[in-house]
Structure formats: structure tokens, C-alpha cells
Amino acid sequence: MTGQAAAERAYAYTKQRIITGELAGGARLSEGQIGDELELSRTPVHEAFLRLSAERLITLSSRQGAVVNPVPPGEAADVVEMRAVLERSAVARVAAQWIGAAEVEAALGVPLRRQEAALAAGNLGAYVEADCDFHAAVIALAGNPIAAHFFDLLRDRQVRLAHLVLSSSQVVLDASFAEHREMAACLGRGDAAGYGAVLDLHLSRHQGLA
């Protein structure tokens, strides 16, 4: 394995543990710890930590190694605001262009079925990934690659917030899935207003983390 590949592996491994909540805010990390877990030297892990620090997921300390940063105050509200703007714009365009119920079903049916399977299996991680893919598919239906790009930039933050919100109870998880099904139904009949109303409820849970 090349040094670059090793650094990428350490980066992806550590980042995934942070955004899924396995490593909570305030958790302490060391290069030696991650290196031992992945059987890597400290050099690629150090490079990974520098990237994570640049993304503000961890804070480096000469004495403590690294500390996982909690979700900053106000970040949940900021992410929700940007998500709502992008998604509402996309839904309005889809409804105005009216691509047809069959195309909506083709795009949203797959992530919905993945969510249903993840719920049945009790797999929160798989559910969150399918959740994000559902909303990304809605954006993609609008045919605006710039909007899709900006939405993708929010993905890591969305995944982290979703894990915090959806891990609170099975009731919240079931309600989230029901809302996805209703949003898909609204979009399938070109009802942008109805979609927006369900989206507001859907995103309101994230606002509680602000």
C-alpha cells in the first residue's frame, strides 16, 4: 500500500467513525491508536488527522493528540436552512417541468426500498445512507448539476446530524421513513406545496440540535 493510499484509508476510517457518532464530540484520539487499529505507521495517520483538522472535525493538540469536535452551535440550523433552499428549489422545478410519476418512482423507489430494508434489519447506518440518497435523488431529478454539487458538499454534515437525530428512538426513525414515503407521493403527483409541508416537519427535528 502506498503512503497516499494508507493516509486515505486512515482518513476515511476515522471520518466515518466521527460522522456516524461512533466517536462522539469530546472523544480523544491518538495517531498510535488509529495506527494500531489499521496496522499502519503514524505517518499516514498524521496526514489523515491534518485533513480532519482542516475539515474542523477534530482539534489537534500536542498534549492530547486529537479531540473530536462536537457539532458546533448553530450548525444544525445552518445545514437545515441550506438543505431546505436547495430541495425546495429542486421540487419546484420538478413540479413545473412535470416529468411524470413513473420517473419519480424510478428515482426514489430504490432509496425508499433500501430504507425499508434497513429499518427491518435495525441498521441505522444503512438507513442514514439511504436517507441521504433519497434527498440527493430528489435534487438530481431537477437536472441542476450545480444544486446537486452544493447538496453533495453538505452530505457529511447531514449524515452526522441524521445519526444524532435518528438514534434517539425507534419512533423518530419510523416517522422519518413515513415522511419519506409521503414526500415521494407528493412529488409523484407534482404537489410541490405538499412536499414542502412534509419537508418542514422532516427537517424540524434537526433544528432541535441547534
Side-chain angles (χ1 to χ4, degrees), residues 191-206:
D191 182 3
Y195 188 106
V198 181
L199 180 66
D200 286 342
L201 175 62
H202 191 64
L203 295 179
S204 65
R205 297 186 183 88
H206 296 73

Side-chain angles (χ1 to χ4, degrees), residues 14 18 23-34 45-46 48-50 52-53 57-69:
T14 309
I18 293 172
L23 292 172
R28 294 184 179 182
L29 298 172
S30 71
E31 295 173 4
Q33 170 194 345
I34 299 299
V45 178
H46 179 71
F49 276 23
L50 290 175
L52 293 168
S53 176
L57 288 173
I58 65 174
T59 296
L60 299 177
S61 169
S62 58
R63 294 183 178 180
Q64 297 180 343
V67 178
V68 175
N69 293 330

Side-chain angles (χ1 to χ4, degrees), residues 71-85 154 157 161 203-210:
V71 175
E75 182 173 293
D78 292 342
V79 171
V80 166
E81 180 181 358
M82 294 308 300
R83 271 193 62 179
V85 168
L154 295 172
R157 288 180 169 83
L161 291 174
L203 295 179
S204 65
R205 297 186 183 88
H206 296 73
Q207 293 278 24
L209 297 174

